Amino acid sequence: MKTVARGQANSGEALLRQMAVRRRRENVMVAVLAVLAVLGGGHAIFSVFQTDPPGPSDESTVSIVGHAELVGSFGQQFVMTYLTATSGQQEKIGEFVGAGSQIALPSTPRHASDPVIVYTSRERSGGGFEIWAVTISVRVAKGAVVTAADTRQYYRVAVSLSDGRLRALSIPAVIEPPAKGSDLALAYSSPCAADTPLSQVAAGFLGALLAGSGDVGRYVTQDSGITALKPSPLTAVELVSATTDDNNCGNGKPQAKVLATVNPKGDGGAMASLAYPLSMIRNGGQWQVQSIDPVPALTNPLTLVAGQDSRGGGNSTSTTPPSTSVQIPPAKQN
């Protein structure tokens, strides 16, 4: 009679169980692949095993920015050459676009100046080519010479880029200028009198910062990093207004946003007004400037000034969001 050790019997049973589990797992995988094949074809099957494409890198971003600069410069040169060319100079246009020999040009040149690259947009890419749309603003003379009264015209031209080689796809087109934007409501709801704490600190700070009238260190926090401008660009600064989000103008909460508007004076006399958005905190009973903010404080959520629609119409100059203001919804996450 043949005998089998208990350990060997257990190992055989375990092996059978593992084989059964593996077969059931394989059957499930086959069923899943069959369903994917029916629903989406082979691409759906292979996409299960594919990793996500790499996101934008610093290298790709720098490359795109460089290409935008390149096509913008080319578009600017093309538009200026096109506007100033005259009949018999089709070869100059042919340096930029293939249809140069078929273009009708005027007998007298137009006077154009002060070209500005307004906008560049990459529309397509593939096959080693990038297709860009370039918008150029040019001041075109109404008469024989360019004057300050002449208006700007906007031209758009399509440009292809491949291995650093540039070519226009067609001659330029005149387009309408960018539309007027909307005024956003600022968060400064309370005007402050000249003798209030926030106005006094704002006036002293900006005088020291811009005109050297006093020690700027008296008005700023230790970690602000703010120092007086050297040499002083102004000779005097007069505070015109200070508005804030603190209803008590410094007699209430311990921090405030302040928009200070000043009338500056230089060596040549009076200059155009300037505005400074400031963040202030109360430290040991004394108000101090914590930072000069890069943008004014805005309402949250963003709100259009009353009397304007989303396309920027209307002519209201109010800086506070009244009850009829329109709130802008936050961006949706896809």
Side-chain angles (χ1 to χ4, degrees), residues 113-311:
S113 66
D114 195 18
V116 177
I117 302 170
V118 177
Y119 187 70
T120 57
S121 173
R122 192 172 70 165
E123 300 295 324
R124 291 184 58 183
S125 63
F129 286 88
E130 295 180 13
I131 309 301
W132 292 76
V134 181
T135 301
I136 307 295
S137 171
V138 180
R139 188 180 298 278
V140 180
K142 296 179 180 179
V145 295
V146 177
T147 67
D150 295 323
T151 59
R152 283 190 166 273
Q153 293 182 351
Y154 292 79
Y155 292 83
R156 179 181 295 153
V157 60
V159 179
S160 68
L161 170 64
S162 177
D163 294 330
R165 296 189 294 270
L166 298 153
R167 195 68 169 166
L169 302 183
S170 64
I171 59 177
V174 178
I175 62 173
E176 63 180 359
K180 180 182 177 181
S182 301
D183 291 332
L184 292 175
L186 303 183
Y188 313 103
S189 56
S190 300
C192 297
D195 59 351
T196 57
L198 295 183
S199 290
Q200 291 177 341
V201 172
F205 165 69
L206 292 174
L209 176 75
L210 302 172
S213 57
D215 180 13
V216 74
R218 295 176 50 198
Y219 302 98
V220 300
T221 61
Q222 292 184 351
D223 60 349
S224 68
I226 301 174
T227 58
L229 303 183
K230 298 292 184 180
S232 299
L234 305 174
T235 59
V237 171
E238 177 189 4
L239 183 70
V240 177
S241 66
T243 54
T244 178
D245 62 348
D246 181 1
N247 295 333
N248 296 309
C249 290
N251 295 312
K253 57 185 183 180
Q255 58 187 12
K257 295 287 188 179
V258 177
L259 183 65
T261 304
V262 297
N263 284 344
K265 291 184 180 179
D267 294 333
M271 302 169 59
S273 300
L274 303 172
Y276 289 83
L278 307 174
S279 289
M280 295 188 185
I281 61 172
R282 187 165 53 189
N283 187 7
Q286 174 65 43
W287 279 98
Q288 294 179 313
V289 176
Q290 189 175 39
S291 65
I292 302 175
D293 300 329
V295 298
L298 299 167
T299 58
N300 187 18
L302 296 178
T303 306
L304 298 181
V305 173
Q308 294 190 351
D309 59 22
S310 60
R311 295 165 294 181

Side-chain angles (χ1 to χ4, degrees), residues 81-108:
T81 302
Y82 186 77
L83 291 178
T84 57
T86 58
S87 56
Q89 295 182 330
Q90 278 79 3
E91 72 282 355
K92 295 175 62 175
I93 308 304
E95 296 176 4
F96 298 91
V97 66
S101 60
Q102 305 173 10
I103 297 171
L105 296 173
S107 57
T108 57

